[in-house]
Amino acid sequence: MSGFQQARIDLGAQLRQLREAAQLSGKDLAARLGWQASKVSRIENARQSATEDDVVVWCQAAQAPSEVVDGLIAQAVSLLERQDSWRQRHKSGLAALQEDIRDLESRTKLFRVFEPGVVIGLLQTAEYARNIFTKVRRLYGASDDIDAAIRVRMRRQDILYDPARRFRFLLPEAVLRYRLAPDDVMRGQLDRLLAVTTLPNVEFGVIPFSAQLPSALLNGFWIYNEAMVGVPTRTKDLVLRDPEDVAFYASAFEDLCEVAVFREGAREVIVRVLVDFAQQSAQ
């Protein structure tokens, strides 16, 4: 078992003890916090990481002593900032990892996302996601819960239709052409992207092959509000909170936006790729 997962188990067990000491059922606690009851279960059973905010409201509901609260907050912050092995994190379950991401997204109002190698998860179709999760399972030895992971990923996408949130997505044209799924799945995924470009709170950009790049497209990154950047690598998931790091990635994002095309320009690139797929399939 990884150190990351053991730390999550320890935190969940301590939170359960607080709930039980306060004579609250999982449903009672969830009702007080305005959560789904399943979230309490996921945290206590180490299928989801409790955030600092989760710990604060949990402890308030359980009337925990301040010294206990401080210690649990420190554990939650440490857990979030861990740079743990992707292989070990995936072994705890694809669906569990998707739940962690969904919880983080629920607290985000402004998303700025650049992905150089894969269609952004919030924009994936179910069948494209299935092909991606199958490759992840093979690469990292993840648990065999692909259907559950897809269901969570699809639920994550509900957030796109919240007008109080703003999304800025950026992909290079190459991502639209990478054969990470069969051609019919890729065509369905491209149709999905065309639909996304019409959402009023979504800014979707494509960096065309013809663009002169401001820098090499080394890795993807997700900027959550103005406070945190997630930088996934092949072996670790980096979580950056230093204001200078956040500002650096925000500046890099704007540089990439300068050479991208949006709205009708983005749709023209997507349609061009769709036509190429159709011609290649016919041949």
Side-chain angles (χ1 to χ4, degrees), residues 252-270:
F253 186 84
E254 296 303 329
D255 285 345
L256 293 172
C257 286
E258 287 293 324
V259 300
V261 291
F262 296 88
R263 292 174 287 278
E264 193 57 40
R267 287 190 283 272
E268 288 177 0
V269 176
I270 297 170

Side-chain angles (χ1 to χ4, degrees), residues 119-162:
V119 172
I120 294 163
L122 283 173
L123 307 179
Q124 292 179 8
T125 65
E127 284 308 308
Y128 183 94
R130 182 178 300 280
N131 281 270
I132 297 301
F133 283 135
T134 299
K135 291 173 173 58
V136 168
R137 181 180 61 185
R138 178 186 58 80
L139 185 63
Y140 294 104
S143 64
D144 191 9
D145 58 352
I146 288 178
D147 288 339
I150 291 172
R151 286 194 294 272
V152 180
R153 174 158 284 182
M154 294 303 103
R155 287 199 298 269
R156 283 175 53 200
Q157 297 183 7
D158 291 344
I159 201 172
L160 292 172
Y161 305 99
D162 181 352

Side-chain angles (χ1 to χ4, degrees), residues 169-204:
F169 297 128
L170 201 56
L171 296 172
E173 181 178 344
V175 170
L176 308 179
R177 298 180 179 275
Y178 287 149
R179 257 59 171 197
L180 289 172
D183 283 4
D184 59 331
V185 175
M186 292 302 302
R187 289 196 296 271
Q189 178 61 70
L190 293 172
D191 284 338
R192 165 67 173 158
L193 294 181
L194 284 174
V196 167
T197 64
T198 66
L199 295 177
N201 60 334
V202 172
E203 181 180 348
F204 181 83

Side-chain angles (χ1 to χ4, degrees), residues 218-240:
L218 297 178
N219 56 265
F221 53 90
W222 290 61
I223 308 174
Y224 300 93
N225 294 326
E226 304 289 346
M228 187 181 107
V229 183
V231 185
T233 73
R234 280 195 169 251
T235 57
K236 294 185 182 297
D237 186 15
L238 309 182
V239 178
L240 309 177

